[in-house]
C-alpha cells in the first residue's frame, strides 16, 4: 500500500471517529432531560429531597391530612399523586396546617423519618410545632403522632427545621417572646434531646432589623439549615408573605456554640428576592436537596406569578440549581421565569418499566385512557401503556406486585366494583389491597403470566370486550383473556 493511501485511510479513520463522537455527543445532548417550573399548580412552603431512587415533596395543606408526592423524575413529580401520609388531626391541631418538613434522623427507635409541621386550633395564637414519626424507613410512612415539640414550655412557633451540629440535634423555628400578637416573629434555636423533645433554653438568633425584613410587617420565618464544607448556614424568609417582597436572608454560624446569639452572623443584604423581569414575586420559604448523583445543590421554594398575588393558593413550587462563591458562601442567583428551560438534576434516570401484552390479542397492550383500563393496539401516547411492577402495596412478599403508572406516578391499577381503573393512592388499606396482585404462571400458557387479585383470590385480572376487570375464570376463553406477557 502506498504512503499516500495509508495517509488517506488514516485521515478517513480519524474523520469517522470524530464524526462518530460528534453524533454520540449530539445524541447525548438531545437526550438530556429538561423541565420548566413550577412543579405544581399550587404548593406553598415546599420541602423536597431525593432518596433511594425517588424525589419526595411536601407542601402546606392548610388542613389535614398531610400529603406527600413521590416520583423518580422531575417530570413524573409534576404528575404524581399527593398521597396522604399522616391523618391524625384532632380539634386542637386541625387548623393552619403549615410547612411540613420531613427529615431522616437516628431516633430512639433507630433511623426514622420525622415530619415537623405547624398547626393549632381556631386562632393564630394556638400555632405550635408538632412531630410525627415513621414506622420504618419509607418516607411515605405510615406515621404516628409523637407530640407537640415544645412540651411544657408551650412556646408559640411555626416552621420547624432541624439540623445536626457537632453531633447534637437542634430545632430552628419562627417564634416570639410571648404571645404572637404584638411581637415580631423571629428565628429561634434550641437543643433537642430526641427528635420530638426540646431540652434547655431557647435562643433568638435573628429578628427583623433591616428595611428589607420589614416590608408589610416585620417578619423572620421559615428557617432552613444548609451545611457545606464544615460550615453551617441558615436561610430564612423575611417580610410579610402577602407582599411581592417576601425574600430570603442568610445567617452563618461563625462561633462555636449554636445557642449563643453572638455566634451567628447575619448577611446585611437579602440573598434571594423578586425578579420582576422574569415575573417572579415573593420567592421564599425554601428547602434544599442534592441531585440524584450528589454532585449538585438545589433550592426548592415557592413564588407567585404576579405582584398582586398574596399568601395563599396562588403560590407554587419551584426548583433551581445553585452554586457556591469563592469565599464558601452560597450563591442562589436569581429566581428564573417559568418559561426558562432547565436541565434536570444530575444523575436523574427513568427506572425500568414494562408493558402487559394480551395473550389472545397479541397486537394489544394494557393501557390507561381517561383513567379507565383496557387493551389497545398502537398505544398512544406510549407511556399510557407502560407500568412499573413494584412490590405489592398490601403485601410486598415474593410474587406480589402492584402496577404504577409511568406517566402518573403514585397512580396504580386497582379494581373498583370488579372493574379496573387507574387511581391515585389514597393511603388506605382498601386501596392497597385492591391494587395488589399475585403474579402466577399464565392460566393459558405457563410461560406467560396471570395476576390473581389479592383480596378476591378467586378472581383474576382479565379483559372483557377489551376492558380490564377481575373475574372468576372457568373456561378456556377466560384463561386466555387472563393471560399476559410482561414485555419490555
Amino acid at each position: 500500500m502506498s504512503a499516500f493511501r495509508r495517509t488517506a485511510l488514516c485521515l478517513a479513520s480519524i474523520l469517522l471517529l470524530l464524526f462518530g463522537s460528534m453524533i454520540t455527543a449530539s445524541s447525548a445532548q438531545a437526550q438530556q432531560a429538561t423541565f420548566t417550573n413550577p412543579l405544581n399548580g399550587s404548593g406553598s412552603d415546599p420541602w423536597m429531597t431525593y432518596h433511594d431512587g425517588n424525589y419526595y415533596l411536601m407542601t402546606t395543606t392548610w388542613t389535614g391530612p398531610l400529603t406527600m408526592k413521590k416520583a423518580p423524575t422531575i417530570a413524573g413529580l409534576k404528575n404524581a399523586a399527593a398521597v396522604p401520609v399522616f391523618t391524625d388531626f384532632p380539634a386542637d391541631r386541625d387548623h393552619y396546617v403549615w410547612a411540613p418538613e420531613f427529615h431522616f434522623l437516628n431516633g430512639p427507635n433507630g433511623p426514622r423519618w420525622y415530619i415537623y409541621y405547624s398547626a393549632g386550633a381556631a386562632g393564630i395564637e394556638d400555632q405550635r410545632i408538632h412531630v410525627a414519626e415513621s414506622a420504618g424507613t419509607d418516607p411515605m410512612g405510615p406515621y404516628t403522632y409523637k407530640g407537640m415539640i415544645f412540651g411544657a414550655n408551650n412556646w408559640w412557633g411555626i416552621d420547624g427545621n432541624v439540623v445536626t451540629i457537632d453531633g447534637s440535634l437542634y430545632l430552628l423555628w419562627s417564634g416570639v417572646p410571648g404571645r404572637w400578637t404584638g411581637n415580631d416573629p423571629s428565628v429561634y434555636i434550641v437543643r433537642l434531646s430526641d427528635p420530638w423533645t426540646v431540652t434547655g433554653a431557647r435562643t433568638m438568633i435573628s429578628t427583623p432589623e433591616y428595611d428589607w425584613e420589614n416590608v408589610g410587617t416585620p417578619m423572620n420565618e421559615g428557617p432552613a439549615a444548609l451545611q457545606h464544607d464544615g460550615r453551617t448556614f441558615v436561610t430564612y424568609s423575611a417580610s410579610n408573605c402577602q407582599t411581592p417582597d417576601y425574600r430570603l436572608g442568610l445567617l452563618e454560624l461563625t462561633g462555636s456554640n449554636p445557642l449563643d446569639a453572638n455566634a451567628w452572623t447575619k448577611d446585611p443584604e437579602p440573598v434571594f428576592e423578586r425578579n420582576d423581569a422574569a415575573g417572579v414575586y415573593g420567592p421564599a420559604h425554601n428547602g434544599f436537596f442534592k441531585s440524584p448523583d450528589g454532585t449538585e445543590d438545589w433550592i426548592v421554594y415557592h413564588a407567585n406569578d404576579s405582584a398582586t398575588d398574596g399568601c395563599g393558593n396562588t403560590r407554587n413550587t419551584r426548583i433551581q440549581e445553585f452554586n457556591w462563591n469563592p469565599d464558601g458562601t452560597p450563591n442562589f442567583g436569581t429566581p428564573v421565569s417559568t418559561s426558562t428551560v432547565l436541565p434536570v438534576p444530575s444523575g436523574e434516570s427513568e427506572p425500568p418499566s414494562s408493558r402487559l401484552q394480551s395473550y389472545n390479542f397479541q397486537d394489544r397492550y394494557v393501557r390507561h385512557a381517561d383513567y379507565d383500563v383496557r387493551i389497545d393496539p398502537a398505544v398512544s401516547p406510549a407511556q399510557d401503556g407502560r407500568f412499573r411492577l413494584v412490590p405489592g402495596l398490601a403485601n410486598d412478599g415474593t410474587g406480589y406486585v402492584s402496577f404504577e403508572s409511568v406517566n402518573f406516578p403514585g397512580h396504580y391499577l386497582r379494581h373498583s366494583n370488579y372493574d379496573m381503573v387507574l387511581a391515585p393512592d389514597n393511603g388506605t388499606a382498601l386501596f392497597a389491597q385492591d391494587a395488589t396482585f399475585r403474579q402466577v404462571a399464565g392460566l393459558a400458557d405457563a410461560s406467560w403470566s396471570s395476576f390473581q387479585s389479592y383480596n378476591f383470590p378467586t378472581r383474576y385480572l382479565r379483559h372483557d370486550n377489551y376492558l380490564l376487570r377481575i373475574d372468576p375464570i372457568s373456561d378456556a376463553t377466560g384463561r386466555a383473556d387472563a393471560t399476559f406477557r410482561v414485555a419490555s
Side-chain angles (χ1 to χ4, degrees):
M1 181 183 293
S2 69
F4 175 80
R5 288 185 65 192
R6 283 198 299 270
T7 302
L9 286 172
C10 182
L11 287 172
S13 298
I14 291 172
L15 287 172
L16 283 171
L17 286 171
L18 288 172
F19 184 67
S21 297
M22 290 172 65
I23 291 175
T24 302
S26 177
S27 297
Q29 185 175 12
Q31 293 172 7
Q32 171 66 55
T34 58
F35 74 99
T36 56
N37 283 310
L39 301 190
N40 47 35
S42 175
S44 56
D45 309 333
W47 188 260
M48 182 171 167
T49 194
Y50 184 87
H51 173 76
D52 197 22
N54 284 285
Y55 298 100
Y56 296 85
L57 171 66
M58 296 185 81
T59 58
T60 281
T61 56
W62 305 98
T63 61
L66 293 177
T67 62
M68 186 179 291
K69 290 188 171 189
K70 168 188 174 183
T73 63
I74 295 300
L77 199 63
K78 287 190 173 188
N79 290 323
V83 178
V85 295
F86 182 67
T87 59
D88 185 6
F89 287 90
D92 63 338
R93 49 184 168 87
D94 65 348
H95 284 65
Y96 303 118
V97 181
W98 296 339
E101 295 187 7
F102 50 104
H103 298 263
F104 195 50
L105 304 172
N106 191 20
N109 298 318
R112 294 289 187 272
W113 289 93
Y114 293 89
I115 296 178
Y116 297 83
Y117 68 96
S118 313
I124 193 73
E125 290 283 2
D126 299 321
Q127 287 296 87
R128 302 292 186 271
I129 297 171
H130 304 270
V131 186
E133 180 189 52
S134 67
T137 57
D138 185 348
M140 302 292 284
Y143 288 85
T144 57
Y145 184 67
K146 300 303 294 184
M148 192 275 286
I149 198 166
F150 299 137
N153 294 299
N154 202 29
W155 299 319
W156 185 91
I158 58 173
D159 302 346
N161 176 262
V162 293
V163 60
T164 299
I165 302 173
D166 294 331
S168 294
L169 186 64
Y170 294 87
L171 175 74
L172 296 155
W173 78 99
S174 178
V176 294
R179 291 173 58 83
W180 180 80
T181 304
N183 288 285
D184 298 337
S186 303
V187 177
Y188 284 80
I189 190 170
V190 72
R191 188 173 176 181
L192 296 174
S193 58
D194 60 47
W196 61 87
T197 308
V198 303
T199 180
R202 60 179 175 169
T203 301
M204 184 176 72
I205 59 174
S206 178
T207 194
E209 55 183 304
Y210 296 110
D211 288 345
W212 55 268
E213 300 176 285
N214 286 269
V215 180
T217 56
M219 186 73 67
N220 280 182
E221 62 182 10
L226 173 65
Q227 294 178 309
H228 181 73
D229 285 347
R231 296 165 69 173
T232 297
F233 303 91
V234 174
T235 57
Y236 62 92
S237 302
S239 291
N240 192 318
C241 66
Q242 295 283 358
T243 74
D245 292 301
Y246 197 50
R247 61 191 77 179
L248 293 183
L250 183 69
L251 305 169
E252 183 182 1
L253 179 62
T254 51
S256 58
N257 180 10
L259 297 177
D260 177 6
N262 294 320
W264 294 90
T265 300
K266 178 186 287 193
D267 194 314
E269 300 294 334
V271 293
F272 197 64
E273 58 186 334
R274 63 189 285 176
N275 182 357
D276 291 37
V280 182
Y281 303 92
H285 203 119
N286 71 290
F288 304 103
F289 66 97
K290 285 281 191 179
S291 61
D293 64 6
T295 64
E296 296 173 347
D297 292 293
W298 287 69
I299 183 172
V300 56
Y301 60 97
H302 71 228
N304 279 315
D305 295 324
S306 169
T308 58
D309 289 337
C311 199
N313 289 325
T314 56
R315 300 172 296 177
N316 48 43
T317 300
R318 309 168 188 218
I319 61 172
Q320 61 190 73
E321 186 187 0
F322 69 93
N323 297 296
W324 298 87
N325 294 312
D327 65 0
T329 58
N331 183 343
F332 301 117
T334 57
V336 299
S337 74
T338 55
S339 62
T340 299
V341 178
L342 300 171
V344 300
S346 179
E348 178 182 302
S349 60
E350 185 75 37
S353 61
S354 301
R355 298 184 296 166
L356 290 180
Q357 182 183 18
S358 168
Y359 174 77
N360 50 354
F361 292 89
Q362 294 190 14
D363 65 331
R364 291 177 179 263
Y365 293 82
V366 174
R367 58 91 53 88
H368 63 82
D370 294 326
Y371 302 109
D372 285 330
V373 185
R374 53 181 295 115
I375 58 169
D376 272 349
V379 175
S380 180
Q383 285 195 322
D384 285 357
R386 302 201 70 89
F387 302 89
R388 298 187 186 97
L389 274 65
V390 301
L393 298 182
N395 185 333
D396 60 2
T398 302
Y400 289 94
V401 298
S402 293
F403 301 96
E404 183 181 18
S405 169
V406 163
N407 50 352
F408 288 89
H411 291 67
Y412 295 83
L413 300 187
R414 72 170 293 187
H415 60 81
S416 176
N417 294 324
Y418 305 134
D419 290 325
M420 294 298 297
V421 297
L422 182 73
D425 183 359
N426 60 17
T428 65
L430 178 61
F431 184 98
Q433 293 167 11
D434 289 349
T436 299
F437 300 85
R438 187 164 71 96
Q439 186 174 0
V440 299
L443 299 182
D445 184 330
S447 67
W448 291 49
S449 294
S450 291
F451 298 93
Q452 181 184 27
S453 170
Y454 175 78
N455 50 353
F456 291 89
T458 63
R459 293 174 178 263
Y460 291 80
L461 184 67
R462 61 91 54 93
H463 61 81
D464 182 16
N465 288 326
Y466 304 134
L467 296 176
L468 260 69
R469 51 182 291 109
I470 58 168
D471 275 343
I473 303 299
S474 59
D475 57 23
T477 299
R479 288 190 289 273
D481 289 349
T483 300
F484 302 87
R485 172 183 283 143
V486 178
S488 60

